[in-house]
């Protein structure tokens, strides 16, 4: 069935009879859509909408086929090579399932990944952390990699103290550029503190976004057309009412 999708993409990319939009796309122009589709998969999961999840997984699969087609046209690799590569990787990283090492297990995953990075010539413990990841997720992965080679706070207290230090540096900043830099450091420190509490910062912020949106919409519904004209005290009262309703 995947062959059908691969064939459809080949027709869409045909330089003579294909779609005008599809034929001019590149890895770079398609990459943002790939990231967007991955987030839409996560959103469908968060909402528990299996119909949407089926559709979004299809959209994400289309992105893989699209990239593979562009690569095939350039003579790099084709979709079957992608399938072979991931199949080989999964078998290689699960020697306790597909190999002879019965003593292995999930704990070997990171060790095997590190060995693979070394075989590719990785010079740093941070090599391989994708630049295209959401910033909070990438910060967490960078911190975890640094922690594996001993550069980490021993407990949450060090990470918490770093937040206070960074807040002070934000307040002391004298230029917009310096303030932006220090706020970046503050966010990085908050990610570290979340990690020390075994909290996924990306998921936590996503949940906070959803909570804010839910409560703000409740405020709008309660006030109706008058909402925009209310003063801040009145809007704060609506916010507290929305929080109280959720608590019930």
């Amino acid at each position: 069935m995947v062959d059908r999708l691969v064939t459809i993409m080949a027709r869409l990319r045909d330089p003579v009879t294909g779609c005008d939009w599809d034929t001019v796309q590149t890895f770079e122009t398609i990459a943002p859509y790939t990231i967007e589709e991955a987030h839409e998969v996560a959103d469908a999961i968060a909402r528990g909408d299996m119909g949407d999840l089926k559709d979004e997984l299809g959209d994400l699969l289309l992105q893989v086929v699209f990239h593979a087609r562009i690569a095939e046209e350039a003579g790099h690799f084709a979709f079957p090579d992608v399938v072979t590569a991931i199949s080989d990787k999964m078998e290689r990283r699960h020697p306790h399932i597909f190999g002879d090492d019965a003593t292995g297990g999930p704990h070997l995953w990171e060790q095997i990944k590190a060995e693979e990075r070394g075989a590719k010539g990785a010079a740093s413990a941070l090599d391989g952390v994708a630049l295209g990841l959401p910033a909070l997720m990438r910060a967490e992965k960078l911190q975890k990699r640094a922690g594996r080679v001993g550069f980490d706070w021993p407990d949450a207290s060090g990470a918490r103290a770093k937040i206070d230090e960074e807040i002070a540096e934000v307040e002391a900043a004298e230029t917009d550029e310096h303030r932006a830099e220090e706020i970046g450091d503050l966010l990085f420190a908050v990610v570290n503190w979340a990690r020390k509490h075994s909290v996924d910062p990306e998921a936590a912020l996503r949940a906070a976004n959803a909570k804010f949106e839910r409560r703000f919409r409740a405020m709008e519904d309660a006030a109706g057309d008058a909402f925009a004209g209310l003063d801040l005290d009145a809007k704060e009262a609506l916010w507290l009412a929305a929080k109280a309703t959720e608590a019930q």
Side-chain angles (χ1 to χ4, degrees):
M1 296 182 70
V2 175
D3 289 345
R4 179 185 173 196
L5 183 58
V6 172
T7 300
I8 289 170
M9 180 53 63
R11 289 193 62 183
L12 290 173
R13 289 279 298 179
D14 187 285
V16 178
T17 62
C19 169
D20 290 343
W21 187 85
D22 291 275
T23 55
V24 298
Q25 301 308 311
T26 66
F27 292 125
E28 292 77 15
T29 62
I30 289 298
Y33 295 102
T34 308
I35 296 168
E36 179 181 344
E37 295 300 349
H39 283 297
E40 290 183 358
V41 166
D43 179 68
I45 293 170
R47 291 183 286 105
D49 190 327
M50 293 300 102
D52 259 8
L53 179 58
K54 177 191 68 178
D55 290 343
E56 297 302 344
L57 285 171
D59 290 343
L60 185 57
L61 177 59
L62 176 64
Q63 295 298 307
V64 177
V65 172
F66 209 145
H67 284 287
R69 180 62 195 180
I70 296 172
E72 183 176 2
E73 292 167 0
H76 300 309
F77 56 83
F79 183 77
D81 301 309
V82 175
V83 176
T84 297
I86 187 58
S87 298
D88 290 346
K89 181 186 295 183
M90 294 306 291
E91 290 178 352
R92 185 170 64 249
R93 291 184 180 178
H94 294 84
H96 59 300
I97 303 296
F98 301 103
D100 299 326
D101 184 3
T103 64
H107 64 281
L108 286 177
W109 178 271
E110 289 299 336
Q111 176 185 329
I112 294 171
K113 285 179 65 176
E115 291 171 354
E116 290 172 355
R117 289 193 296 270
K120 291 180 179 179
S124 168
L126 305 182
D127 283 353
V129 180
L131 290 170
L133 288 173
L136 288 180
M137 187 183 297
R138 188 163 195 269
E140 181 187 27
K141 287 184 176 293
L142 290 170
Q143 292 166 4
K144 284 182 176 179
R145 289 282 190 88
R148 290 191 195 115
V149 292
F151 189 67
D152 198 5
W153 300 109
D155 54 46
S157 62
R160 177 62 184 85
K162 187 65 175 176
I163 291 174
D164 291 334
E165 176 185 328
E166 296 299 347
I167 289 174
E169 292 182 0
V170 170
E171 293 174 339
E174 296 182 352
T175 67
D176 290 344
E177 182 179 1
H178 187 199
R179 190 173 298 107
E181 177 185 348
E182 296 300 343
I183 288 176
D185 291 345
L186 173 60
L187 292 171
F188 193 85
V190 171
V191 169
N192 219 349
W193 195 39
R195 185 174 60 86
K196 285 298 183 181
H197 287 287
S198 300
V199 172
D200 179 341
E202 190 73 27
L205 183 57
R206 191 181 304 119
N209 289 342
K211 179 168 62 177
F212 176 83
E213 183 177 7
R214 188 171 62 246
R215 291 176 179 175
F216 190 87
R217 290 181 183 275
M219 293 165 59
E220 291 178 315
D221 290 342
D225 293 339
F227 178 76
L230 297 175
D231 62 23
L232 187 57
D233 288 340
K235 288 173 180 169
E236 177 66 16
L238 288 172
W239 177 264
L240 293 175
K243 285 182 63 175
T245 299
E246 281 196 357
Q248 295 172 2

